[in-house]
Amino acid sequence: MEQELFSEKESLELISKMLRQTRHNIASTSSGGDFLLYGWATTLLSVLIYFLVASTDNGYWGLLYSGLLLIAIFQGIRKSLHKPEMVTYMDKSIDSVWVVLGTMFGLTYLFIIFLSFFYDLSGLSFALMMPLSLLYAGIGTSITGIITRFKPLIYTPLPAFLIGIYMLVGFVEDWQLHAWWYLLFGAAFLLMMVIPGHLMNLKAKGEK
């Protein structure tokens, strides 16, 4: 059986085609793209929570972020029912990265709830999910950018990393949650997911 060999030019064309297909799948206009979905949902929810916390001085409003888990479940079901016509190895790699990070996010959230049965934790404790979410989402976004060779996804999570570390240091120092941190959290997702998500949509449309 003869083994088909690819020239250097053909190999580069194949890789470019896979990159275009992967970027198109991620920026699927039929679903709005996961980056736009989670980015806008988190940003708008952060603004809502900020006004609720600022007006009531009740940190438990932060639990509204749990709604993002419902979106994740819905997206998982939708994707299982409506798969792209062509799935590349890069698509599978990216999906695996987000499955791992999503699992870490879910386990972290459940563990905080578990600890609340043994320690006197207030709604402030759940605010720890904000910096951890920035780190988890930032890692996933950067890896996605590296795999797809889309630079905006690689570099826009950097401010989110810094904001996440800033929040963690703030918790260690005085264990206080400032209401404006919700706006900072939303701004990080706007920069990390929404802006590059729109840019990827434009690039995918231009490559059709």
Short mmCIF file of all heavy atoms in Angstrom, two decimals, residues 3 9-10 21 31 56 62 72 79-81 92 105 125 132 134 158 164 168-169 176 185 192 194 196 207:
data_model
loop_
_atom_site.label_atom_id
_atom_site.label_comp_id
_atom_site.label_asym_id
_atom_site.label_seq_id
_atom_site.Cartn_x
_atom_site.Cartn_y
_atom_site.Cartn_z
N GLN A 3 2.09 4.95 0.57
CA GLN A 3 1.84 5.99 1.56
C GLN A 3 1.85 7.34 0.86
O GLN A 3 2.82 7.70 0.18
CB GLN A 3 2.90 5.96 2.65
CG GLN A 3 2.64 6.96 3.76
CD GLN A 3 3.68 6.84 4.85
OE1 GLN A 3 4.63 6.06 4.72
NE2 GLN A 3 3.49 7.61 5.91
N LYS A 9 4.39 22.61 0.79
CA LYS A 9 3.32 23.55 0.45
C LYS A 9 1.97 22.96 0.77
O LYS A 9 1.09 23.65 1.34
CB LYS A 9 3.41 23.91 -1.03
CG LYS A 9 2.34 24.91 -1.47
CD LYS A 9 2.48 25.24 -2.95
CE LYS A 9 1.39 26.21 -3.38
NZ LYS A 9 1.49 26.55 -4.82
N GLU A 10 1.77 21.67 0.44
CA GLU A 10 0.48 21.02 0.72
C GLU A 10 0.24 20.90 2.21
O GLU A 10 -0.90 21.04 2.68
CB GLU A 10 0.45 19.65 0.05
CG GLU A 10 0.38 19.69 -1.47
CD GLU A 10 0.54 18.32 -2.09
OE1 GLU A 10 1.20 17.45 -1.46
OE2 GLU A 10 0.00 18.09 -3.19
N GLN A 21 -10.98 26.35 9.59
CA GLN A 21 -12.17 25.59 9.98
C GLN A 21 -12.40 25.66 11.48
O GLN A 21 -13.53 25.83 11.95
CB GLN A 21 -12.03 24.13 9.55
CG GLN A 21 -13.27 23.27 9.85
CD GLN A 21 -14.50 23.76 9.12
OE1 GLN A 21 -14.44 24.08 7.93
NE2 GLN A 21 -15.63 23.82 9.80
N SER A 31 -24.46 30.13 16.67
CA SER A 31 -24.55 30.06 18.12
C SER A 31 -24.05 31.35 18.77
O SER A 31 -24.19 31.54 19.96
CB SER A 31 -23.71 28.90 18.65
OG SER A 31 -22.35 29.10 18.36
N THR A 56 -27.80 47.14 48.27
CA THR A 56 -28.28 46.37 49.42
C THR A 56 -27.19 46.00 50.41
O THR A 56 -27.49 45.55 51.52
CB THR A 56 -28.96 45.07 48.96
OG1 THR A 56 -28.00 44.23 48.30
CG2 THR A 56 -30.10 45.37 47.98
N GLY A 62 -23.91 37.77 44.72
CA GLY A 62 -22.88 37.17 43.86
C GLY A 62 -23.21 35.75 43.45
O GLY A 62 -22.67 35.23 42.47
N ALA A 72 -23.74 26.73 30.78
CA ALA A 72 -22.77 25.70 30.40
C ALA A 72 -23.46 24.37 30.13
O ALA A 72 -23.13 23.66 29.17
CB ALA A 72 -21.72 25.54 31.50
N LYS A 79 -24.55 21.41 21.91
CA LYS A 79 -23.43 20.96 21.09
C LYS A 79 -23.52 19.47 20.78
O LYS A 79 -23.12 19.02 19.70
CB LYS A 79 -22.10 21.27 21.78
CG LYS A 79 -21.74 22.74 21.74
CD LYS A 79 -20.36 22.97 22.34
CE LYS A 79 -19.95 24.41 22.24
NZ LYS A 79 -18.58 24.64 22.79
N SER A 80 -24.02 18.70 21.73
CA SER A 80 -24.16 17.26 21.49
C SER A 80 -25.23 16.96 20.44
O SER A 80 -25.17 15.93 19.76
CB SER A 80 -24.50 16.54 22.80
OG SER A 80 -25.77 16.95 23.28
N LEU A 81 -26.19 17.86 20.30
CA LEU A 81 -27.27 17.67 19.33
C LEU A 81 -26.96 18.29 17.97
O LEU A 81 -27.44 17.83 16.94
CB LEU A 81 -28.58 18.26 19.88
CG LEU A 81 -29.13 17.61 21.15
CD1 LEU A 81 -30.37 18.35 21.63
CD2 LEU A 81 -29.46 16.14 20.92
N LYS A 92 -11.04 19.23 18.76
CA LYS A 92 -11.07 18.26 19.85
C LYS A 92 -10.11 18.65 20.96
O LYS A 92 -10.41 18.48 22.14
CB LYS A 92 -10.73 16.87 19.31
CG LYS A 92 -11.77 16.31 18.34
CD LYS A 92 -11.38 14.93 17.83
CE LYS A 92 -12.41 14.39 16.85
NZ LYS A 92 -12.03 13.06 16.32
N PHE A 105 -13.50 24.24 37.54
CA PHE A 105 -14.41 25.29 38.00
C PHE A 105 -15.55 24.69 38.83
O PHE A 105 -15.85 25.17 39.92
CB PHE A 105 -14.98 26.04 36.79
CG PHE A 105 -15.95 27.13 37.16
CD1 PHE A 105 -15.52 28.44 37.34
CD2 PHE A 105 -17.30 26.85 37.31
CE1 PHE A 105 -16.42 29.44 37.67
CE2 PHE A 105 -18.21 27.85 37.65
CZ PHE A 105 -17.76 29.15 37.84
N SER A 125 -17.35 34.33 50.86
CA SER A 125 -16.50 33.20 50.51
C SER A 125 -16.69 32.79 49.06
O SER A 125 -15.74 32.39 48.39
CB SER A 125 -16.81 32.02 51.44
OG SER A 125 -16.61 32.37 52.79
N LEU A 132 -10.56 33.10 40.90
CA LEU A 132 -10.26 31.77 40.39
C LEU A 132 -10.83 31.59 38.98
O LEU A 132 -10.20 30.97 38.12
CB LEU A 132 -10.83 30.70 41.33
CG LEU A 132 -10.18 30.64 42.72
CD1 LEU A 132 -10.88 29.61 43.61
CD2 LEU A 132 -8.70 30.30 42.61
N LEU A 134 -11.24 33.96 36.79
CA LEU A 134 -10.39 34.72 35.88
C LEU A 134 -9.15 33.92 35.50
O LEU A 134 -8.73 33.93 34.34
CB LEU A 134 -9.98 36.05 36.52
CG LEU A 134 -11.08 37.11 36.66
CD1 LEU A 134 -10.56 38.32 37.42
CD2 LEU A 134 -11.61 37.53 35.29
N LEU A 158 -4.18 38.41 29.66
CA LEU A 158 -3.14 38.86 30.58
C LEU A 158 -3.67 39.84 31.64
O LEU A 158 -3.36 39.68 32.83
CB LEU A 158 -1.98 39.48 29.80
CG LEU A 158 -1.19 38.51 28.90
CD1 LEU A 158 -0.08 39.24 28.16
CD2 LEU A 158 -0.61 37.37 29.73
N GLY A 164 -7.09 38.92 38.62
CA GLY A 164 -7.33 37.77 39.49
C GLY A 164 -6.35 37.72 40.64
O GLY A 164 -6.73 37.48 41.80
N LEU A 168 -7.03 38.11 44.74
CA LEU A 168 -6.58 37.12 45.72
C LEU A 168 -5.74 37.77 46.82
O LEU A 168 -5.90 37.46 48.00
CB LEU A 168 -5.76 36.03 45.01
CG LEU A 168 -6.56 35.02 44.16
CD1 LEU A 168 -5.61 34.08 43.43
CD2 LEU A 168 -7.53 34.22 45.03
N VAL A 169 -4.85 38.68 46.41
CA VAL A 169 -4.03 39.39 47.40
C VAL A 169 -4.92 40.25 48.30
O VAL A 169 -4.70 40.33 49.52
CB VAL A 169 -2.97 40.27 46.70
CG1 VAL A 169 -2.26 41.15 47.71
CG2 VAL A 169 -1.97 39.39 45.96
N GLN A 176 -11.98 41.43 52.38
CA GLN A 176 -13.11 42.29 52.07
C GLN A 176 -13.41 42.24 50.58
O GLN A 176 -12.49 42.16 49.76
CB GLN A 176 -12.83 43.74 52.49
CG GLN A 176 -12.80 43.96 53.98
CD GLN A 176 -12.63 45.42 54.34
OE1 GLN A 176 -12.67 46.29 53.47
NE2 GLN A 176 -12.45 45.71 55.62
N PHE A 185 -14.43 42.67 37.39
CA PHE A 185 -14.56 41.28 36.91
C PHE A 185 -15.24 41.25 35.54
O PHE A 185 -14.79 40.56 34.61
CB PHE A 185 -15.37 40.48 37.93
CG PHE A 185 -15.54 39.03 37.59
CD1 PHE A 185 -14.48 38.14 37.70
CD2 PHE A 185 -16.78 38.54 37.18
CE1 PHE A 185 -14.65 36.79 37.41
CE2 PHE A 185 -16.95 37.20 36.90
CZ PHE A 185 -15.88 36.33 37.01
N MET A 192 -11.32 39.99 27.70
CA MET A 192 -10.74 38.67 27.46
C MET A 192 -11.54 37.83 26.47
O MET A 192 -10.96 37.03 25.72
CB MET A 192 -10.63 37.92 28.81
CG MET A 192 -10.14 36.50 28.71
SD MET A 192 -9.84 35.77 30.34
CE MET A 192 -11.44 35.95 31.14
N VAL A 194 -15.17 38.95 24.97
CA VAL A 194 -16.10 39.62 24.06
C VAL A 194 -15.37 40.26 22.89
O VAL A 194 -15.72 40.01 21.72
CB VAL A 194 -16.92 40.69 24.82
CG1 VAL A 194 -17.79 41.48 23.82
CG2 VAL A 194 -17.79 40.04 25.87
N PRO A 196 -12.15 39.81 21.64
CA PRO A 196 -11.56 38.84 20.70
C PRO A 196 -12.59 37.95 20.04
O PRO A 196 -12.39 37.49 18.92
CB PRO A 196 -10.60 38.02 21.58
CG PRO A 196 -11.06 38.23 22.96
CD PRO A 196 -11.64 39.61 23.01
N GLU A 207 -12.66 34.74 5.93
CA GLU A 207 -11.96 33.58 5.40
C GLU A 207 -12.90 32.64 4.65
O GLU A 207 -12.46 31.64 4.12
CB GLU A 207 -11.28 32.81 6.55
CG GLU A 207 -10.12 33.55 7.16
CD GLU A 207 -9.54 32.84 8.35
OE1 GLU A 207 -10.27 31.99 8.96
OE2 GLU A 207 -8.37 33.08 8.70
#
